[in-house]
């Protein structure tokens, strides 16, 4: 024998896959029948090139290197195959179409509704803020209307006007004033400070005025321009009305100086009876003489403490 080739049953031919090759087949190699412990495995083993391609029979073979003829086209149905839904009790299936554009489902991304909602809220908030700023700006423009050229804020009715000036340009602070100590007293008239409430220096006031012929005289200096003024007199009455005759530059005024019990203070109480009254007077430029006299027909039960000149109303 030729060395290395001792027949099909020799150890060299123990290759279990020798039957797969042409030389092995020439030497009589046969497929193993035991399956090496794997049931039915050997029945599926074939020589290289003998695997049927596209054939329905598993036992059909073709020569090595040749493609076995297909018995049916790929597009033709297989007689041995039936769809599950055609079998009795089989589940019906339906084709599902994927949405266009790849949207929806876990694999696609749909519209970002959350982002659109946030954007809409931001736009609304910006509009609201803009309107609020415009309204605040409008109120500020109204408040600043007085700053515009040629406009003035309307004065409240409760506001106190500044001291008015007379036709001569004098203000209340420029016009003369006096108190009880500076008055020239007539017969039977004196000063005292027993009763509280006087605003003169030291609480001094004129008393003893309650008799006919009683007078107090004030020499008024510093009138810068002739014209009408107001003469104010501060007085106290014991709960009863009083009056006196007013004489300006030696000429009695037509109306008496009214010293009424305004407010109805208690009778006999001088301390609670302090009040103010005024009368229009015509003064010349420079020095004037103003006299308060108790004449016939006057009721002169009153105390006097201060006199002052003020601009006439409307000047």
């Amino acid at each position: 024998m030729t060395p290395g080739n001792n027949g099909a049953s020799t150890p060299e031919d123990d290759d279990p896959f020798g039957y797969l090759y042409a030389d092995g087949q020439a030497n009589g190699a046969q497929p193993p029948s035991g399956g090496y412990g794997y049931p039915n495995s050997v029945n599926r083993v074939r020589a290289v090139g003998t695997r049927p391609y596209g054939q329905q029979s598993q036992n059909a073979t073709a020569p090595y290197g040749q493609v076995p003829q297909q018995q049916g086209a790929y597009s033709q149905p297989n007689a041995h195959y039936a769809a599950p839904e055609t079998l009795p009790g089989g589940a019906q299936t339906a084709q599902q179409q994927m949405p266009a554009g790849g949207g929806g489902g876990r694999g696609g991304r749909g519209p970002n509704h959350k982002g659109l909602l946030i954007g809409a809220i931001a736009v609304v908030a910006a509009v609201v803020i803009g309107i609020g700023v415009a309204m605040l700006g409008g109120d500020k423009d109204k408040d600043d209307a007085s700053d515009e050229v040629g406009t003035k804020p309307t004065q409240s009715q409760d506001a106190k006007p500044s001291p008015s000036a007379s036709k001569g340009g004098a203000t209340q602070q420029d016009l003369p004033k006096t108190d009880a100590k500076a008055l020239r007293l007539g017969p039977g008239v004196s000063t005292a400070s027993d009763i509280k409430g006087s605003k003169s220096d030291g609480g001094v006031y004129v008393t003893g005025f309650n008799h006919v012929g009683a007078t107090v005289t004030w020499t008024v200096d510093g009138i810068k321009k002739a014209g009408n003024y107001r003469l104010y007199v501060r007085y106290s009455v014991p709960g009863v009305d009083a009056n006196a005759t007013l004489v300006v530059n030696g000429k009695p005024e037509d109306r008496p100086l009214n010293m009424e019990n305004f407010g109805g203070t208690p009778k006999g109480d001088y301390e609670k009876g302090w009040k103010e009254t005024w009368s229009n007077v015509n003064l010349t430029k420079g020095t004037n003489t103003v006299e308060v006299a108790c004449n016939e027909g006057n009721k002169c039960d009153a105390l006097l403490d201060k006199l002052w000149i003020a601009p006439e109303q409307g000047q």
Side-chain angles (χ1 to χ4, degrees), residues 114-130:
K114 185 176 181 180
L116 294 176
L117 179 60
I118 294 175
I121 293 174
V123 172
V124 173
V127 172
V128 172
I129 293 173

Side-chain angles (χ1 to χ4, degrees), residues 163-175 224-225 229 311 315:
S164 58
S166 66
K167 293 181 180 180
T171 64
Q172 177 63 59
Q173 289 77 11
D174 298 331
L175 294 173
K224 297 180 179 179
K225 183 178 181 181
Y229 295 86
Q315 291 185 350

